[in-house]
Amino acid sequence: MAHVSVQRSDDLPPCSRCNGSLILAATMPVLDAFGKPITLELCRACDASDATAAGALVRFFKSGGGQDTTRTQECADLVLDFQKEAMAAHGYVLVDKPKGTTAAVFPPHTGAAPKGVG
């Protein structure tokens, strides 16, 4: 099983886009086209757009959702949407397991080769 490293603390690196403070940084278990680990960054300045999954996650944290245990499913759904959106920018697509199956049945890949390694 792949391992994803997620950091959420006061000791995160600065945003690679604006040098501002990050809300979350996650290192994915795949490499980019240059052989470097893909890091997903959630920045309160860069990702505040209403039109993105990242923006929805930023609004969730700004509203105090990260401190409300009754909203854990909402958080999980938002994080998954954010991960799908951010990984798509690197050429990856998460394929959901068909409902009611125990083994994954995936269609063959017919698109361009992914940008990364993994």
XYZ file of all heavy atoms in Angstrom:
851
model
N 0.837 -1.177 0.000
C 0.000 0.000 0.000
C 0.886 1.245 0.000
O 1.883 1.321 0.687
C -0.916 -0.024 1.224
C -1.751 1.232 1.378
S -2.921 1.068 2.715
C -4.365 1.497 1.821
N 0.494 2.233 -0.764
C 1.260 3.476 -0.871
C 1.131 4.285 0.407
O 0.114 4.254 1.086
C 0.760 4.280 -2.056
N 2.172 5.028 0.715
C 2.187 5.842 1.919
C 2.169 7.317 1.542
O 2.961 7.754 0.720
C 3.433 5.535 2.749
C 3.557 6.387 3.973
N 2.732 6.223 5.057
C 4.375 7.405 4.268
C 3.067 7.123 5.975
N 4.058 7.851 5.510
N 1.242 8.058 2.118
C 1.154 9.496 1.902
C 1.557 10.173 3.194
O 1.061 9.850 4.263
C -0.284 9.926 1.532
C -0.370 11.430 1.391
C -0.729 9.242 0.255
N 2.494 11.096 3.104
C 2.940 11.838 4.276
C 2.226 13.179 4.306
O 2.326 13.957 3.364
C 4.448 12.056 4.189
O 4.874 12.926 5.209
N 1.473 13.438 5.372
C 0.731 14.690 5.507
C 1.268 15.454 6.701
O 1.465 14.892 7.768
C -0.785 14.434 5.694
C -1.526 15.730 5.909
C -1.349 13.684 4.504
N 1.513 16.745 6.506
C 1.969 17.608 7.588
C 0.900 18.663 7.849
O 0.353 19.224 6.921
C 3.246 18.351 7.206
C 4.454 17.502 7.020
C 5.598 18.367 6.530
O 5.709 18.620 5.356
N 6.427 18.819 7.451
N 0.603 18.910 9.092
C -0.235 20.040 9.462
C 0.295 20.531 10.794
O 0.084 19.920 11.819
C -1.704 19.659 9.575
C -2.593 20.898 9.711
C -4.041 20.536 9.843
N -4.934 21.642 9.743
C -4.965 22.706 10.540
N -4.097 22.827 11.512
N -5.841 23.668 10.387
N 1.037 21.604 10.738
C 1.655 22.114 11.954
C 2.062 23.561 11.733
O 1.838 24.121 10.662
C 2.880 21.275 12.327
O 3.938 21.540 11.442
N 2.669 24.138 12.727
C 3.184 25.500 12.607
C 4.572 25.512 11.978
O 5.175 26.561 11.830
C 3.245 26.168 13.993
C 1.868 26.364 14.581
O 0.912 26.528 13.795
O 1.745 26.350 15.813
N 5.079 24.342 11.593
C 6.432 24.218 11.091
C 6.474 23.787 9.621
O 7.383 23.102 9.198
C 7.177 23.202 11.958
C 8.679 23.370 11.875
O 9.119 24.473 11.532
O 9.387 22.389 12.139
N 5.463 24.188 8.835
C 5.408 23.816 7.426
C 6.329 24.719 6.602
O 6.583 25.862 6.977
C 3.984 23.954 6.895
C 2.956 22.977 7.459
C 1.569 23.327 6.950
C 3.308 21.559 7.072
N 6.805 24.215 5.473
C 7.603 25.077 4.597
C 6.718 26.167 3.999
O 5.495 26.051 4.017
C 8.090 24.101 3.518
C 7.079 23.013 3.498
C 6.597 22.878 4.919
N 7.307 27.205 3.429
C 6.495 28.234 2.783
C 5.899 27.704 1.474
O 6.410 26.760 0.882
C 7.483 29.369 2.525
C 8.811 28.725 2.502
C 8.730 27.537 3.424
N 4.839 28.337 1.026
C 4.194 27.984 -0.234
C 5.196 28.171 -1.374
O 5.874 29.195 -1.455
C 2.965 28.873 -0.448
S 2.173 28.628 -2.052
N 5.269 27.189 -2.254
C 6.213 27.271 -3.373
C 5.757 28.261 -4.446
O 6.536 28.657 -5.297
C 6.406 25.892 -4.006
O 5.190 25.438 -4.563
N 4.485 28.703 -4.370
C 3.971 29.634 -5.368
C 4.081 31.090 -4.925
O 4.427 31.959 -5.712
C 2.513 29.293 -5.698
C 2.391 27.903 -6.352
C 0.964 27.430 -6.350
N 0.613 27.006 -4.989
C -0.586 26.598 -4.627
N -1.570 26.587 -5.487
N -0.819 26.208 -3.389
N 3.762 31.375 -3.646
C 3.735 32.776 -3.199
C 4.636 33.051 -1.996
O 4.723 34.179 -1.539
C 2.302 33.182 -2.859
S 1.681 32.449 -1.318
N 5.249 31.998 -1.445
C 6.101 32.095 -0.263
C 5.312 32.404 1.011
O 5.883 32.744 2.035
C 7.228 33.122 -0.462
C 8.475 32.746 0.303
O 8.752 31.567 0.503
N 9.225 33.733 0.737
N 3.981 32.305 0.930
C 3.131 32.524 2.101
C 3.048 31.279 2.965
O 3.735 30.277 2.726
N 2.188 31.323 3.974
C 2.072 30.183 4.886
C 1.082 29.154 4.344
O 0.064 29.489 3.758
C 1.638 30.665 6.268
O 0.391 31.309 6.194
N 1.431 27.892 4.532
C 0.589 26.778 4.098
C -0.343 26.346 5.215
O -0.021 26.470 6.396
C 1.450 25.582 3.686
C 2.305 25.739 2.441
C 3.165 24.497 2.239
C 1.439 25.987 1.221
N -1.499 25.797 4.826
C -2.419 25.162 5.771
C -2.062 23.687 5.884
O -2.131 23.089 6.946
C -3.877 25.313 5.289
C -4.272 26.784 5.259
C -4.828 24.522 6.185
C -5.616 27.033 4.600
N -1.669 23.090 4.763
C -1.411 21.659 4.711
C -0.383 21.378 3.629
O -0.366 22.051 2.595
C -2.729 20.935 4.378
C -2.691 19.433 4.225
C -3.917 18.842 4.882
C -2.678 19.035 2.770
N 0.470 20.399 3.856
C 1.400 19.906 2.837
C 1.379 18.386 2.892
O 1.444 17.802 3.965
C 2.814 20.418 3.097
N 1.234 17.755 1.728
C 1.193 16.292 1.665
C 2.154 15.817 0.588
O 2.105 16.294 -0.543
C -0.222 15.814 1.355
N 3.033 14.889 0.931
C 3.964 14.310 -0.031
C 3.366 13.009 -0.535
O 3.118 12.086 0.246
C 5.340 14.063 0.615
O 5.820 15.302 1.141
C 6.328 13.527 -0.408
N 3.122 12.947 -1.827
C 2.482 11.782 -2.432
C 3.510 10.679 -2.687
O 4.700 10.958 -2.818
C 1.791 12.192 -3.738
C 0.771 13.311 -3.556
S -0.465 12.993 -2.278
C -1.332 11.615 -2.975
N 3.047 9.425 -2.804
C 3.967 8.304 -2.998
C 4.351 8.083 -4.461
O 4.623 6.969 -4.872
C 3.162 7.123 -2.448
C 1.753 7.488 -2.751
C 1.676 8.980 -2.575
N 4.346 9.135 -5.272
C 4.759 9.049 -6.672
C 5.720 10.196 -6.967
O 5.766 11.178 -6.231
C 3.554 9.114 -7.639
C 2.688 7.884 -7.523
C 2.728 10.359 -7.411
N 6.474 10.040 -8.044
C 7.466 11.046 -8.412
C 6.990 11.826 -9.628
O 6.261 11.303 -10.472
C 8.797 10.379 -8.716
C 9.382 9.510 -7.606
C 10.664 8.841 -8.069
C 9.600 10.316 -6.343
N 7.442 13.067 -9.746
C 7.109 13.862 -10.921
C 8.055 13.508 -12.063
O 8.896 12.612 -11.947
C 7.117 15.361 -10.600
C 8.493 15.907 -10.249
O 9.513 15.216 -10.472
O 8.552 17.038 -9.745
N 7.923 14.204 -13.175
C 8.732 13.914 -14.360
C 10.223 14.117 -14.123
O 11.048 13.617 -14.880
C 8.267 14.788 -15.522
N 10.594 14.840 -13.067
C 11.992 15.103 -12.754
C 12.523 14.180 -11.662
O 13.627 14.370 -11.166
C 12.174 16.568 -12.348
C 11.685 17.519 -13.398
C 10.468 18.153 -13.248
C 12.415 17.753 -14.552
C 9.998 19.022 -14.221
C 11.955 18.615 -15.535
C 10.735 19.256 -15.372
N 11.697 13.203 -11.236
C 12.123 12.261 -10.218
C 11.990 12.767 -8.795
O 12.503 12.163 -7.866
N 11.298 13.882 -8.610
C 11.092 14.461 -7.272
C 9.718 14.053 -6.748
O 8.761 13.945 -7.518
C 11.163 15.993 -7.339
C 12.414 16.528 -7.968
C 13.417 16.848 -6.931
C 14.572 17.578 -7.596
N 15.799 17.373 -7.006
N 9.589 13.847 -5.445
C 8.273 13.530 -4.885
C 7.288 14.677 -5.139
O 7.654 15.844 -5.089
C 8.539 13.382 -3.385
C 10.006 13.160 -3.266
C 10.641 13.861 -4.433
N 6.046 14.325 -5.436
C 5.001 15.324 -5.652
C 4.473 15.764 -4.298
O 4.054 14.947 -3.491
C 3.867 14.765 -6.512
C 4.387 14.459 -7.921
C 2.692 15.732 -6.569
C 3.395 13.741 -8.802
N 4.514 17.071 -4.052
C 3.994 17.623 -2.808
C 2.759 18.441 -3.122
O 2.791 19.329 -3.965
C 5.034 18.512 -2.104
O 6.186 17.714 -1.800
C 4.483 19.090 -0.810
N 1.660 18.108 -2.466
C 0.424 18.875 -2.606
C 0.429 19.936 -1.521
O 0.624 19.634 -0.352
C -0.796 17.965 -2.448
C -0.841 16.718 -3.321
C -2.145 15.975 -3.086
C -0.666 17.059 -4.779
N 0.220 21.176 -1.919
C 0.225 22.286 -0.971
C -1.147 22.943 -0.943
O -1.745 23.175 -1.995
C 1.257 23.336 -1.377
C 2.673 22.846 -1.380
C 3.652 23.903 -1.846
O 3.248 24.843 -2.557
O 4.821 23.784 -1.475
N -1.611 23.256 0.246
C -2.853 24.001 0.412
C -2.487 25.334 1.052
O -2.053 25.391 2.201
C -3.842 23.238 1.296
C -5.219 23.868 1.428
C -5.936 23.899 0.077
C -6.056 23.121 2.444
N -2.618 26.406 0.260
C -2.218 27.743 0.692
C -3.452 28.625 0.815
O -4.277 28.669 -0.100
C -1.246 28.332 -0.337
S -0.821 30.060 -0.065
N -3.558 29.349 1.927
C -4.753 30.190 2.138
C -4.836 31.324 1.133
O -5.915 31.800 0.827
C -4.825 30.687 3.576
C -3.710 31.592 4.006
C -3.817 32.043 5.463
N -4.295 31.058 6.407
C -3.519 30.211 7.089
N -2.225 30.237 6.942
N -4.036 29.364 7.923
N -3.712 31.753 0.551
C -3.739 32.839 -0.435
C -3.931 32.302 -1.856
O -4.801 32.762 -2.585
C -2.450 33.647 -0.355
N -3.135 31.319 -2.246
C -3.165 30.815 -3.622
C -4.400 29.971 -3.932
O -4.835 29.910 -5.074
C -1.921 29.969 -3.902
S -0.381 30.882 -3.802
N -4.934 29.292 -2.933
C -6.020 28.339 -3.162
C -7.371 28.836 -2.667
O -8.244 28.040 -2.348
C -5.679 27.000 -2.495
C -4.436 26.376 -3.089
O -4.306 26.392 -4.332
O -3.589 25.885 -2.333
N -7.573 30.145 -2.627
C -8.817 30.695 -2.081
C -9.941 30.790 -3.115
O -11.036 31.206 -2.779
C -8.550 32.071 -1.483
N -9.706 30.383 -4.346
C -10.703 30.490 -5.404
C -11.962 29.686 -5.073
O -11.888 28.569 -4.555
C -10.120 29.992 -6.727
O -11.127 29.847 -7.694
N -13.105 30.249 -5.409
C -14.374 29.546 -5.192
C -14.562 28.384 -6.157
O -15.370 27.507 -5.919
C -15.549 30.518 -5.353
C -15.643 31.512 -4.214
O -15.085 31.237 -3.136
O -16.269 32.568 -4.403
N -13.829 28.398 -7.252
C -14.043 27.429 -8.320
C -13.211 26.158 -8.185
O -13.243 25.321 -9.075
C -13.749 28.080 -9.666
N -12.472 25.985 -7.114
C -11.604 24.815 -6.990
C -11.917 24.014 -5.732
O -12.461 24.522 -4.762
C -10.118 25.231 -6.931
O -9.905 25.994 -5.742
C -9.715 26.057 -8.142
N -11.513 22.745 -5.773
C -11.650 21.896 -4.585
C -10.740 22.409 -3.480
O -11.075 22.333 -2.300
C -11.312 20.450 -4.935
N -9.588 22.946 -3.863
C -8.671 23.511 -2.872
C -9.330 24.683 -2.160
O -9.211 24.834 -0.939
C -7.378 23.958 -3.544
N -10.058 25.514 -2.906
C -10.754 26.653 -2.303
C -11.809 26.212 -1.303
O -11.965 26.819 -0.238
N -12.520 25.142 -1.625
C -13.522 24.613 -0.700
C -12.867 24.124 0.588
O -13.389 24.317 1.682
C -14.309 23.482 -1.360
N -11.693 23.511 0.464
C -10.972 23.028 1.643
C -10.436 24.195 2.472
O -10.494 24.165 3.713
C -9.850 22.084 1.225
C -9.152 21.297 2.315
C -10.125 20.503 3.181
C -8.118 20.350 1.697
N -9.941 25.243 1.808
C -9.491 26.437 2.525
C -10.656 27.035 3.315
O -10.522 27.367 4.497
C -8.903 27.491 1.559
C -8.703 28.829 2.258
C -7.583 27.007 0.977
N -11.827 27.160 2.683
C -13.006 27.710 3.379
C -13.409 26.831 4.565
O -13.824 27.330 5.607
C -14.169 27.877 2.402
C -13.973 29.044 1.454
C -15.223 29.338 0.630
N -15.683 28.205 -0.167
C -15.132 27.804 -1.311
N -14.083 28.440 -1.797
N -15.625 26.781 -1.971
N -13.281 25.511 4.415
C -13.602 24.586 5.508
C -12.716 24.885 6.720
O -13.199 25.006 7.838
C -13.398 23.143 5.039
C -13.531 22.118 6.129
C -14.778 21.679 6.540
C -12.412 21.588 6.753
C -14.909 20.732 7.543
C -12.526 20.646 7.752
C -13.789 20.217 8.149
N -11.413 25.019 6.485
C -10.497 25.297 7.597
C -10.704 26.694 8.166
O -10.650 26.889 9.378
C -9.043 25.094 7.177
C -8.648 23.639 7.072
C -8.202 23.118 5.875
C -8.728 22.799 8.169
C -7.837 21.783 5.771
C -8.370 21.461 8.086
C -7.924 20.958 6.877
N -10.972 27.680 7.302
C -11.204 29.045 7.782
C -12.463 29.140 8.644
O -12.544 29.961 9.539
C -11.325 30.016 6.603
C -10.005 30.432 6.014
C -10.217 31.490 4.949
C -8.911 32.019 4.433
N -9.090 33.039 3.395
N -13.447 28.290 8.358
C -14.702 28.313 9.124
C -14.592 27.570 10.453
O -15.562 27.489 11.197
C -15.837 27.702 8.297
O -15.675 26.294 8.204
N -13.415 27.006 10.744
C -13.226 26.264 11.990
C -13.565 24.796 11.874
O -13.599 24.077 12.871
N -13.799 24.325 10.647
C -14.165 22.925 10.439
C -13.124 21.934 10.914
O -13.449 20.820 11.299
N -11.866 22.349 10.898
C -10.803 21.459 11.346
C -10.821 21.203 12.848
O -10.162 20.288 13.339
N -11.595 21.991 13.584
C -11.706 21.835 15.036
C -13.024 21.180 15.455
O -13.279 21.009 16.643
C -11.600 23.211 15.708
C -10.341 23.972 15.356
C -9.087 23.259 15.839
O -9.052 22.700 16.917
N -8.063 23.275 15.010
N -13.879 20.839 14.484
C -15.219 20.316 14.765
C -15.289 18.838 14.387
O -15.339 18.484 13.215
C -16.246 21.121 13.969
C -17.675 20.748 14.269
O -17.912 19.736 14.969
O -18.571 21.479 13.799
N -15.297 17.957 15.384
C -15.284 16.514 15.121
C -16.567 16.018 14.465
O -16.573 14.928 13.896
C -15.039 15.718 16.421
O -16.053 16.041 17.366
C -13.664 16.018 16.992
N -17.634 16.791 14.509
C -18.877 16.367 13.845
C -18.779 16.545 12.327
O -19.652 16.084 11.601
C -20.099 17.152 14.374
O -19.945 18.537 14.029
C -20.246 16.985 15.870
N -17.718 17.205 11.856
C -17.558 17.478 10.426
C -16.447 16.649 9.793
O -15.930 16.995 8.735
C -17.290 18.972 10.222
C -18.437 19.851 10.688
C -18.131 21.323 10.572
N -18.034 21.738 9.170
C -17.656 22.961 8.800
N -17.352 23.878 9.699
N -17.590 23.262 7.515
N -16.097 15.507 10.408
C -14.979 14.711 9.884
C -15.272 14.137 8.504
O -14.373 14.085 7.661
C -14.580 13.583 10.850
O -15.731 12.797 11.152
C -13.983 14.120 12.120
N -16.489 13.698 8.237
C -16.809 13.144 6.914
C -16.729 14.235 5.849
O -16.219 14.016 4.748
C -18.188 12.483 6.893
C -18.488 11.776 5.571
C -17.464 10.694 5.246
O -17.183 9.806 6.036
N -16.881 10.760 4.047
N -17.217 15.426 6.186
C -17.116 16.562 5.264
C -15.646 16.848 4.949
O -15.276 17.063 3.789
C -17.775 17.800 5.882
C -17.694 19.038 5.038
C -18.234 20.279 5.749
O -18.674 20.200 6.912
O -18.196 21.347 5.108
N -14.814 16.825 5.967
C -13.377 17.068 5.780
C -12.764 15.990 4.888
O -12.016 16.297 3.957
C -12.664 17.112 7.122
S -10.897 17.474 6.978
N -13.092 14.728 5.155
C -12.547 13.627 4.354
C -12.931 13.771 2.885
O -12.100 13.570 1.990
C -13.039 12.292 4.909
N -14.174 14.142 2.622
C -14.634 14.326 1.244
C -13.901 15.488 0.570
O -13.498 15.393 -0.594
C -16.143 14.573 1.199
C -16.952 13.360 1.644
O -16.415 12.229 1.628
O -18.123 13.547 2.010
N -13.723 16.581 1.301
C -13.028 17.751 0.747
C -11.556 17.452 0.479
O -11.002 17.876 -0.547
C -13.160 18.944 1.694
C -14.555 19.564 1.788
C -14.606 20.573 2.935
C -14.960 20.209 0.476
N -10.907 16.717 1.385
C -9.501 16.357 1.194
C -9.354 15.446 -0.026
O -8.429 15.611 -0.828
C -8.907 15.700 2.460
C -7.561 15.060 2.176
C -8.786 16.719 3.577
N -10.265 14.497 -0.200
C -10.207 13.610 -1.358
C -10.385 14.401 -2.655
O -9.653 14.194 -3.626
C -11.264 12.511 -1.251
C -11.271 11.499 -2.396
C -9.935 10.776 -2.509
C -12.410 10.510 -2.207
N -11.343 15.331 -2.673
C -11.541 16.165 -3.864
C -10.294 17.000 -4.159
O -9.887 17.148 -5.308
C -12.752 17.078 -3.686
C -14.069 16.328 -3.703
O -14.095 15.160 -4.147
O -15.083 16.911 -3.252
N -9.691 17.546 -3.100
C -8.454 18.336 -3.249
C -7.332 17.464 -3.817
O -6.600 17.868 -4.718
C -8.062 18.932 -1.894
C -6.654 19.445 -1.823
C -6.237 20.520 -2.596
C -5.727 18.857 -0.978
C -4.937 20.997 -2.524
C -4.434 19.323 -0.895
C -4.035 20.400 -1.676
N -7.187 16.253 -3.283
C -6.136 15.349 -3.756
C -6.347 15.014 -5.233
O -5.394 15.036 -6.020
C -6.106 14.070 -2.930
C -5.038 13.098 -3.400
C -5.062 11.777 -2.681
O -5.904 11.543 -1.822
N -4.160 10.899 -3.020
N -7.589 14.710 -5.622
C -7.872 14.394 -7.022
C -7.516 15.570 -7.933
O -6.897 15.392 -8.979
C -9.352 14.038 -7.203
C -9.742 12.694 -6.646
C -11.236 12.493 -6.851
C -11.736 11.196 -6.290
N -13.197 11.029 -6.481
N -7.920 16.772 -7.530
C -7.658 17.972 -8.319
C -6.161 18.250 -8.438
O -5.647 18.515 -9.540
C -8.364 19.155 -7.657
C -8.154 20.494 -8.329
C -8.875 21.589 -7.570
O -8.276 22.146 -6.621
O -10.035 21.867 -7.912
N -5.455 18.174 -7.333
C -4.023 18.481 -7.336
C -3.223 17.428 -8.096
O -2.302 17.765 -8.844
C -3.519 18.609 -5.901
N -3.564 16.166 -7.942
C -2.831 15.116 -8.651
C -3.125 15.159 -10.149
O -2.259 14.850 -10.962
C -3.161 13.737 -8.072
C -2.575 13.505 -6.678
S -0.779 13.661 -6.585
C -0.263 12.227 -7.519
N -4.333 15.576 -10.538
C -4.664 15.707 -11.960
C -3.750 16.734 -12.628
O -3.384 16.583 -13.796
C -6.124 16.088 -12.133
N -3.361 17.752 -11.886
C -2.442 18.759 -12.419
C -1.073 18.154 -12.726
O -0.306 18.708 -13.514
C -2.292 19.913 -11.427
N -0.772 17.003 -12.130
C 0.493 16.305 -12.380
C 0.308 15.131 -13.346
O 1.223 14.336 -13.539
C 1.088 15.795 -11.061
C 1.554 16.886 -10.162
N 2.767 17.512 -10.326
C 0.957 17.486 -9.105
C 2.907 18.449 -9.403
N 1.819 18.452 -8.658
N -0.894 14.992 -13.911
C -1.143 13.935 -14.886
C -1.658 12.631 -14.321
O -1.684 11.622 -15.018
N -2.099 12.618 -13.078
C -2.603 11.403 -12.453
C -4.108 11.496 -12.250
O -4.649 12.568 -12.019
C -1.942 11.170 -11.089
C -0.485 10.806 -11.199
C 0.497 11.791 -11.188
C -0.094 9.481 -11.330
C 1.836 11.457 -11.304
C 1.244 9.147 -11.439
C 2.196 10.140 -11.425
O 3.513 9.829 -11.545
N -4.780 10.336 -12.305
C -6.218 10.285 -12.086
C -6.498 9.163 -11.098
O -5.998 8.045 -11.252
C -6.975 10.012 -13.405
C -8.453 9.855 -13.160
C -6.715 11.112 -14.411
N -7.298 9.449 -10.085
C -7.717 8.428 -9.128
C -8.930 7.717 -9.701
O -9.925 8.352 -10.041
C -8.075 9.060 -7.779
C -8.580 8.099 -6.710
C -7.477 7.123 -6.307
C -9.067 8.861 -5.496
N -8.830 6.406 -9.848
C -9.937 5.616 -10.366
C -10.567 4.905 -9.186
O -9.911 4.121 -8.491
C -9.446 4.599 -11.422
C -10.599 3.758 -11.933
C -8.749 5.317 -12.559
N -11.835 5.202 -8.947
C -12.540 4.590 -7.827
C -12.823 3.122 -8.100
O -13.081 2.720 -9.239
C -13.863 5.318 -7.567
C -13.659 6.752 -7.138
O -12.681 7.013 -6.403
O -14.452 7.613 -7.539
N -12.787 2.316 -7.043
C -13.122 0.902 -7.139
C -14.625 0.789 -7.372
O -15.402 1.465 -6.694
C -12.714 0.187 -5.852
C -12.941 -1.312 -5.891
C -12.364 -1.995 -4.681
C -13.210 -1.687 -3.475
N -12.879 -2.488 -2.313
N -15.061 -0.027 -8.324
C -16.504 -0.169 -8.559
C -17.225 -0.644 -7.299
O -16.716 -1.485 -6.567
C -16.582 -1.218 -9.671
C -15.242 -1.194 -10.319
C -14.268 -0.823 -9.240
N -18.393 -0.080 -7.053
C -19.174 -0.450 -5.865
C -19.584 -1.917 -5.939
O -19.901 -2.434 -6.994
C -20.422 0.425 -5.762
C -20.105 1.877 -5.481
C -21.374 2.654 -5.209
C -21.168 4.131 -5.119
N -20.257 4.642 -4.196
N -19.554 -2.566 -4.792
C -19.977 -3.963 -4.711
C -18.934 -4.964 -5.150
O -19.235 -6.140 -5.265
N -17.710 -4.532 -5.410
C -16.660 -5.465 -5.809
C -15.585 -5.514 -4.742
O -15.376 -4.560 -4.017
C -16.009 -5.062 -7.152
O -15.384 -3.795 -6.977
C -17.021 -4.993 -8.262
N -14.919 -6.643 -4.660
C -13.821 -6.757 -3.712
C -12.486 -6.529 -4.400
O -11.523 -6.157 -3.774
C -13.816 -8.149 -3.041
O -13.768 -9.144 -4.056
C -15.054 -8.337 -2.188
N -12.429 -6.763 -5.699
C -11.201 -6.537 -6.453
C -11.414 -5.365 -7.404
O -12.504 -5.161 -7.915
C -10.837 -7.794 -7.247
N -10.368 -4.623 -7.625
C -10.459 -3.482 -8.524
C -10.496 -3.960 -9.976
O -9.739 -4.827 -10.378
C -9.266 -2.565 -8.308
N -11.423 -3.409 -10.742
C -11.532 -3.711 -12.158
C -11.425 -2.372 -12.881
O -12.343 -1.568 -12.842
C -12.878 -4.386 -12.491
C -12.967 -4.693 -13.970
C -13.061 -5.624 -11.652
N -10.292 -2.143 -13.511
C -10.045 -0.854 -14.127
C -9.942 -0.983 -15.635
O -9.391 -1.960 -16.140
C -8.753 -0.234 -13.586
C -8.767 -0.070 -12.093
C -7.919 -0.806 -11.301
C -9.647 0.803 -11.482
C -7.938 -0.662 -9.922
C -9.679 0.961 -10.118
C -8.820 0.223 -9.332
N -10.424 0.009 -16.366
C -10.270 -0.023 -17.823
C -8.810 0.207 -18.184
O -8.066 0.803 -17.414
C -11.148 1.148 -18.280
C -11.189 2.075 -17.112
C -11.114 1.193 -15.894
N -8.387 -0.253 -19.348
C -6.992 -0.022 -19.754
C -6.741 1.467 -19.972
O -7.640 2.201 -20.382
C -6.855 -0.809 -21.051
C -8.253 -0.957 -21.558
C -9.140 -0.987 -20.349
N -5.521 1.886 -19.714
C -5.145 3.284 -19.907
C -4.984 3.541 -21.399
O -4.249 2.839 -22.084
C -3.837 3.585 -19.171
C -3.344 4.977 -19.393
N -3.973 6.059 -18.831
C -2.320 5.458 -20.123
C -3.343 7.160 -19.195
N -2.331 6.822 -19.982
N -5.687 4.555 -21.905
C -5.614 4.854 -23.332
C -5.104 6.258 -23.606
O -4.958 6.649 -24.753
C -6.997 4.693 -23.988
O -7.917 5.565 -23.324
C -7.497 3.271 -23.905
N -4.849 7.015 -22.559
C -4.413 8.400 -22.744
C -2.902 8.523 -22.852
O -2.182 7.533 -23.010
N -2.467 9.757 -22.770
C -1.036 10.027 -22.816
C -0.344 9.449 -21.580
O -0.978 9.233 -20.555
C -0.800 11.542 -22.875
N 0.940 9.209 -21.711
C 1.705 8.680 -20.580
C 1.694 9.690 -19.436
O 1.781 10.891 -19.675
C 3.133 8.394 -20.999
N 1.545 9.221 -18.188
C 1.570 10.155 -17.045
C 2.889 10.914 -17.012
O 3.917 10.429 -17.477
C 1.452 9.230 -15.837
C 0.872 7.964 -16.360
C 1.353 7.850 -17.780
N 2.854 12.098 -16.455
C 4.049 12.941 -16.372
C 5.062 12.399 -15.385
O 6.233 12.632 -15.519
C 3.662 14.356 -15.964
C 2.800 15.063 -16.970
C 2.409 16.428 -16.444
C 1.428 17.117 -17.331
N 0.963 18.374 -16.771
N 4.594 11.700 -14.358
C 5.484 11.249 -13.300
C 5.829 9.780 -13.393
O 5.595 9.124 -14.394
N 6.354 9.272 -12.315
C 6.729 7.886 -12.198
C 5.940 7.306 -11.042
O 5.891 7.881 -9.979
C 8.245 7.741 -11.909
C 8.618 6.295 -11.730
C 9.060 8.373 -13.005
N 5.316 6.166 -11.216
C 4.578 5.605 -10.094
C 3.452 4.734 -10.492
O 3.114 4.506 -11.588
